[in-house]
Amino acid sequence: MTQRNLLAIRHLEVDQIEELIDLGQELKKRVNESKALPDMSGLVMGMLFFENSTRTRVSFEQAAHYLRMKSANFGQAGSSMSKGETLKDTILTLRYERLNGLVIRHSASGAPMLAAEYFGGPVLNAGDGQHEHPTQALGDAVTILERKGQIKGLKVAIVGDVLHSRVARSNAWLLHKLGAKVNFVGPRTLMPAHSGMLPGDVFFELEDGIEDADVVMCLRLQKERMNGTMISSIGEYAKMYQINKQTLRWAAPGCLVMHPGPLNRGIELDDHAADGEQSVITSQVENGVFVRMAALYWCFGGGRKKNSSEASTSTAKSTRTTKAKPKGKAKA
Amino acid sequence: MSILLKNGRILDPAQNLDIIGNVLIDMDQVVDMGPEAMDDLADEVYDCTGMWICPGLVDPHVHLREPGQEHKETIVSGTQAAAAGGFTTICTMPNTDPPLDNPALIDFILDKAASPEAGGVFVAPVGALTRGNKAEQLSDLAALKRAGVVAASDEGAPVQNSALMMKAMEMCLQLDMPIMAHCEDASLSKDGHMNEGSMSAMLGVKGIPRSAEDIAVMRNCILAMQTGCQLHIMRVSTWGTVELIRLAKHLGTPVTCEVSPHHFILTDEMVKEFDPHYKITPPLRTQIDVDIIIQALQDGTIDCIATDHSPHASYEVQAPFDEAPFGIVGLETVVGLTLTHLTHKGLLSPLNTIEKLSTNPARILRLDAGTLKPGETPIAQVTVINPDLEWTFDVNKTFSKSKNTPFDGHKMKGKAMLTFCGGEIYRDSQFEGSRYRSVM
């Protein structure tokens, strides 16, 4: 059974992204209809969260629960890393403690790549620095598909602190690869100075950026950055970039409002946008569980077909054994 | 014992000499050179046919890490690596632990470098410009000069305060001592890990803009122009720095500069999947910067090539990119890299190559080195380079204690085969007739 990593959407081929989305949708259906799910009992996932996170961690734990996997939690506080151990040695320790896989969140961009190198796989990136958050993008894609039926041809505006956002990067790669047009919208101070290698156009005016958009994805503003050199004030940001009843008129009718959470209500969006009919924020959270089930299943060798470009997505060596036997129950 | 280096291409930019001939070393001195046969005068003869016989290479910018970080490098291991790389004189940087800010530490460095187990190369210490290398208060620069430093530097702790830098320059002018400047505006580079550009945007890594270097270079050039202090800009990495130094030189500023091989070979695109072996300060820039740096080497704006040999233990490098330290080792690859990427491509002549690797750094730092002329150096400093030897760098065979380099497995053409500093201190195993591969 081939094991593989899920480190970044940027590394994935289109058919791999589609496979993960299909799997997520199928697993959601099975959960909702109380149908049989892949049985991955006997596998233990290490949950390494070196940054504060509640929703992503709980979402992965819930996904593991549905698949009958056990999860073992590790955090930086109180762990060997707080005693000065290197990430490499922590990863090696977990490998030889016979954990079957790792879900890792880390403040350093690229840390999951290092973990994959020394753990041997499967390793799932649950958010690394300002780089990527692949399962967030997959959950968002399922949500868009549920409401819009397709991704190809949509115009998606990603609004806010693009510079520091791993959610923005993963979503942009996924949406671009599946045929959507991506607009990045935000103040110059929160936009990469050189965006040429990112798959989207850059807009500094909200109206220009979200004009006729089918989806508006708000990004969370990190308040601690707001009053430094990044932007003059929260109030000014809200005045310029808030998604609300007024500004949503610039977007296409029926435009979806998304947010990866946690919300800064009244800053990135107002009550109308956050709670109104166009908001799909709670669906994003829910779908996050199902795509994380899909990701776990996919990384442990499930799925409908052999990976067409495994080398680009995985450094996993198939030297480790696993009891995962989903028996092909999940259609894709 | 007398040694004859026979039938080599003698390259000595200090004498504008590029001839085929012989060099005779006797009693630790170059005693004669020229096309005439001198076989009967020598106890030992080395056939240098097809090779270059050059003044010993001089590296103005090396981190020997001792005292304080001996797990990365020591004076012994670093000088052995230097000898293997063809160097006979290296300048060691002051950002050790503790920093080289007092005469006792300079004595320690010089004693260690002169010990029998060391590599036999001259070590020229560079003193800390500021006390504790904290960029707050000037060191006792006169005492450091008396103890033997050849320059003062804020390496590792770039002086942000312009008034302090001006005072440092005034003091160094009075002491007739150059300042080697680490040019970095910390407010712009803070928390950055690679060049600010398309690649950093894609990878989500905080970038270091070119302006962080350019602004500091411009300020330091302005202060040097005002004070008259001799300023040496370390590690040029941007096209903007090149243009600013060119302008400063045009205006008569006493400024010189260096570039490291990685900055004329590699770009930020090579960081790709967060490989810490490409994490260097200043960061690897873009192809435009590389192209303009090479032009500046050709036209003389960039005076010399320095390795910025920066050893780090493997466990320090095997870390997430954001957490890995900056810098790579370079003493044993500089000849191969320079010849492969510049000389053999016709971008630098052989004489200019040696000028950048030996004559100019010696001149800038007023070292007794950088020429083959008899009597010009206290003892003979000679390097024999085989410019056509094709080889692959194997980091496991390095003399350095550290192996942090992106050039492991890199194919090169050109290698230092013999290094003399008084006596023979290194002979490569690939040298024909070699009895051993050794460092004294």
Side-chain angles (χ1 to χ4, degrees):
Chain A
M1 184 179 297
T2 305
Q3 297 186 353
R4 50 194 165 188
N5 304 313
L6 179 57
L7 302 177
I9 298 289
R10 178 167 57 93
H11 295 167
L12 299 180
E13 302 292 334
V14 170
D15 63 340
Q16 293 175 316
I17 296 170
E18 288 174 344
E19 186 183 356
L20 281 159
I21 290 171
D22 288 350
L23 264 172
Q25 290 177 317
E26 172 66 16
L27 289 166
K28 179 176 184 178
K29 193 173 157 205
R30 284 177 175 269
V31 169
N32 287 339
E33 294 174 358
S34 301
K35 287 187 176 173
L37 293 166
D39 181 357
M40 297 168 73
S41 57
L43 294 178
V44 185
M45 288 299 299
M47 307 281 281
L48 277 77
F49 279 68
F50 298 120
E51 262 190 347
N52 289 335
S53 164
T54 304
R55 65 187 60 216
T56 303
R57 184 171 53 75
V58 169
S59 182
F60 266 109
E61 284 177 351
Q62 185 71 342
H65 169 74
Y66 278 127
L67 298 171
R68 301 188 192 179
M69 299 174 79
K70 192 179 168 197
S71 59
N73 272 301
F74 299 84
Q76 185 151 22
S79 74
S80 51
M81 286 194 71
S82 67
K83 297 168 188 164
E85 185 172 66
T86 65
L87 179 60
K88 174 192 166 184
D89 286 328
T90 301
I91 299 294
L92 285 176
T93 300
L94 298 177
R95 174 176 173 172
Y96 288 101
E97 285 181 341
R98 305 188 69 81
L99 295 189
N100 302 101
L102 296 179
V103 174
I104 179 168
R105 167 168 287 196
H106 200 283
S107 59
S109 299
M113 284 70 174
L114 185 90
E117 185 180 346
Y118 292 109
F119 188 75
V123 172
L124 291 87
N125 180 2
D128 61 326
Q130 302 164 16
H131 177 224
E132 284 225 30
H133 193 353
T135 54
Q136 175 72 39
L138 289 165
D140 292 351
V142 169
T143 307
I144 294 171
L145 281 168
E146 286 174 348
R147 303 299 176 111
K148 293 290 183 186
Q150 62 177 30
I151 286 175
K152 189 171 185 178
L154 294 182
K155 185 192 240 187
V156 182
I158 300 176
V159 180
D161 183 358
V162 176
L163 180 65
H164 299 106
S165 176
R166 51 198 174 207
V167 173
R169 284 173 180 76
S170 278
N171 264 305
W173 283 113
L174 185 147
L175 294 162
H176 170 74
K177 288 184 181 207
L178 296 191
K181 180 184 184 314
V182 177
N183 286 354
F184 297 114
V185 191
R188 278 184 188 274
T189 50
L190 297 176
M191 196 65 72
H194 308 267
S195 58
M197 291 174 83
L198 289 174
D201 295 328
V202 172
F203 293 86
F204 303 118
E205 296 297 327
L206 183 63
E207 183 171 359
D208 297 341
I210 69 169
E211 186 182 7
D212 297 329
D214 301 294
V215 179
V216 171
M217 285 186 175
C218 301
L219 301 173
R220 191 177 75 83
L221 274 175
Q222 289 146 44
K223 286 184 188 172
E224 64 275 13
R225 300 184 197 279
M226 291 294 291
N227 290 317
T229 54
M230 293 297 177
I231 202 162
S232 54
S233 73
I234 290 171
E236 181 173 273
Y237 177 85
K239 191 172 278 183
M240 292 174 74
Y241 296 100
Q242 188 183 81
I243 301 303
N244 53 39
K245 192 172 185 178
Q246 175 66 36
T247 55
L248 269 176
R249 288 186 185 138
W250 296 328
C255 166
L256 303 182
V257 175
M258 306 183 82
H259 194 296
L263 301 179
N264 288 310
R265 197 177 278 264
I267 300 175
E268 296 111 9
L269 28 60
D270 70 352
D271 288 345
H272 171 85
D275 303 329
E277 285 182 1
Q278 289 168 263
S279 170
V280 293
I281 294 170
T282 52
S283 296
Q284 288 176 266
V285 177
E286 188 181 17
N287 287 326
V289 175
F290 304 117
V291 295
R292 286 175 181 118
M293 289 172 71
L296 289 169
Y297 178 63
W298 189 80
C299 286
F300 276 97
R304 66 182 162 185
K305 58 191 175 186
K306 287 282 181 190
N307 186 350
S308 60
S309 61
E310 228 149 59
S312 68
T313 60
S314 173
T315 55
K317 297 181 179 66
S318 307
T319 53
R320 301 162 55 71
T321 56
T322 163
K323 290 183 181 173
K325 289 189 177 158
K327 295 172 185 161
K329 282 180 182 171
K331 172 200 162 285
Chain B
M1 189 179 78
S2 57
I3 297 165
L4 182 69
L5 305 173
K6 189 180 172 187
N7 283 336
R9 181 174 178 181
I10 302 171
L11 293 165
D12 186 3
Q15 303 181 73
N16 198 25
L17 199 63
D18 182 355
I19 58 166
I20 301 293
N22 310 309
V23 172
L24 184 64
I25 301 168
D26 192 15
M27 302 292 283
D28 297 343
Q29 296 283 345
V30 172
V31 291
D32 198 4
M33 68 172 72
E36 309 81 23
M38 306 175 220
D39 289 26
D40 52 343
L41 299 174
D43 299 323
E44 200 162 332
V45 178
Y46 293 91
D47 183 3
C48 297
T49 305
M51 300 195 197
W52 297 353
I53 304 171
C54 331
L57 306 187
V58 177
D59 193 339
H61 190 159
V62 172
H63 295 267
L64 291 178
R65 303 297 189 205
E66 191 174 355
Q69 294 180 309
E70 289 84 354
H71 63 291
K72 297 172 190 262
E73 194 77 283
T74 61
I75 291 167
V76 168
S77 64
T79 51
Q80 289 181 345
F87 291 96
T88 55
T89 301
I90 56 174
C91 295
T92 185
M93 287 294 129
N95 55 332
T96 49
D97 183 18
L100 306 184
D101 66 353
N102 69 71
L105 287 168
I106 305 304
D107 289 345
F108 167 79
I109 300 278
L110 294 172
D111 285 349
K112 276 267 185 179
S115 66
E117 65 268 27
V121 309
F122 287 115
V123 174
V126 175
L129 190 62
T130 57
R131 216 169 282 255
N133 213 33
K134 290 179 177 168
E136 292 168 356
Q137 188 183 354
L138 291 185
S139 301
D140 193 344
L141 294 167
L144 288 173
K145 174 89 189 284
R146 284 195 298 275
V149 304
V150 296
S153 177
D154 58 350
E155 170 66 341
V159 171
Q160 302 298 301
N161 183 320
S162 300
L164 180 66
M165 195 59 165
M166 194 166 86
K167 292 298 166 198
M169 287 196 186
E170 287 170 347
M171 195 65 204
C172 285
L173 176 71
Q174 181 181 328
L175 295 170
D176 195 22
M177 181 166 72
I179 285 183
M180 302 177 77
H182 176 155
C183 295
E184 179 181 336
D185 183 320
S187 68
L188 289 167
S189 63
K190 187 171 183 285
D191 299 329
H193 302 285
M194 64 180 292
N195 180 48
E196 183 183 277
S198 302
M199 185 57 77
S200 69
M202 188 176 78
L203 294 177
V205 172
K206 173 91 164 62
I208 300 172
R210 287 188 181 84
S211 51
E213 178 175 322
D214 299 348
I215 285 171
V217 166
M218 185 161 70
R219 182 204 68 173
N220 286 337
C221 284
I222 288 168
L223 292 175
M225 198 172 0
Q226 180 171 330
T227 60
C229 174
Q230 190 193 333
L231 172 69
H232 179 72
I233 307 277
M234 298 196 287
R235 296 180 294 218
V236 169
S237 81
T238 74
W239 65 262
T241 289
V242 168
E243 295 298 341
L244 289 164
I245 292 172
R246 188 174 282 142
L247 174 65
K249 284 186 169 185
H250 178 71
L251 294 173
T253 312
V255 60
T256 55
C257 65
E258 70 188 33
V259 68
S260 301
H262 38 274
H263 283 124
F264 63 70
I265 298 170
L266 307 175
T267 68
D268 63 349
E269 293 200 9
M270 287 151 187
V271 172
K272 268 190 181 147
E273 296 307 327
F274 305 97
D275 186 345
H277 288 106
Y278 293 91
K279 185 170 176 179
I280 294 158
T281 187
L284 299 172
R285 304 290 183 180
T286 66
Q287 193 60 46
I288 294 169
D289 299 283
V290 167
D291 292 344
I292 290 178
I293 281 170
I294 291 172
Q295 286 172 16
L297 274 162
Q298 292 174 296
D299 70 20
T301 304
I302 295 178
D303 303 89
C304 56
I305 294 169
T307 64
D308 187 11
H309 178 82
S310 301
H312 295 293
S314 57
Y315 67 84
E316 295 168 314
V317 180
Q318 290 164 345
F321 189 83
D322 286 9
E323 296 171 6
F326 290 93
I328 61 174
V329 293
L331 283 167
E332 290 167 74
T333 49
V334 64
V335 168
L337 292 172
T338 303
L339 266 64
T340 304
H341 293 275
L342 297 179
T343 319
H344 290 307
K345 289 182 179 174
L347 299 169
L348 274 187
S349 70
L351 203 59
N352 278 339
T353 303
I354 300 307
E355 187 178 38
K356 306 288 183 192
L357 286 168
S358 175
T359 312
N360 280 355
R363 174 180 55 79
I364 290 164
L365 293 164
R366 304 134 187 221
L367 303 169
D368 292 330
T371 181
L372 293 171
K373 199 170 182 182
E376 289 286 306
T377 59
I379 61 173
Q381 296 182 55
V382 185
T383 299
V384 175
I385 291 170
N386 182 343
D388 297 318
L389 181 75
E390 294 185 9
W391 63 293
T392 301
F393 181 57
D394 178 357
V395 80
N396 293 313
K397 293 181 179 168
T398 176
F399 285 94
S400 174
K401 286 184 85 170
S402 293
K403 323 237 177 269
N404 51 312
T405 171
F407 295 113
D408 186 29
H410 195 90
K411 287 182 179 158
M412 300 186 227
K413 190 174 176 185
K415 196 174 195 304
M417 308 305 286
L418 287 163
T419 310
F420 294 88
C421 194
E424 179 187 353
I425 55 171
Y426 174 79
R427 190 191 315 184
D428 191 273
S429 61
Q430 297 187 65
F431 190 77
E432 195 174 337
S434 179
R435 296 172 305 230
Y436 52 85
R437 179 175 193 262
S438 71
V439 163
M440 253 176 72

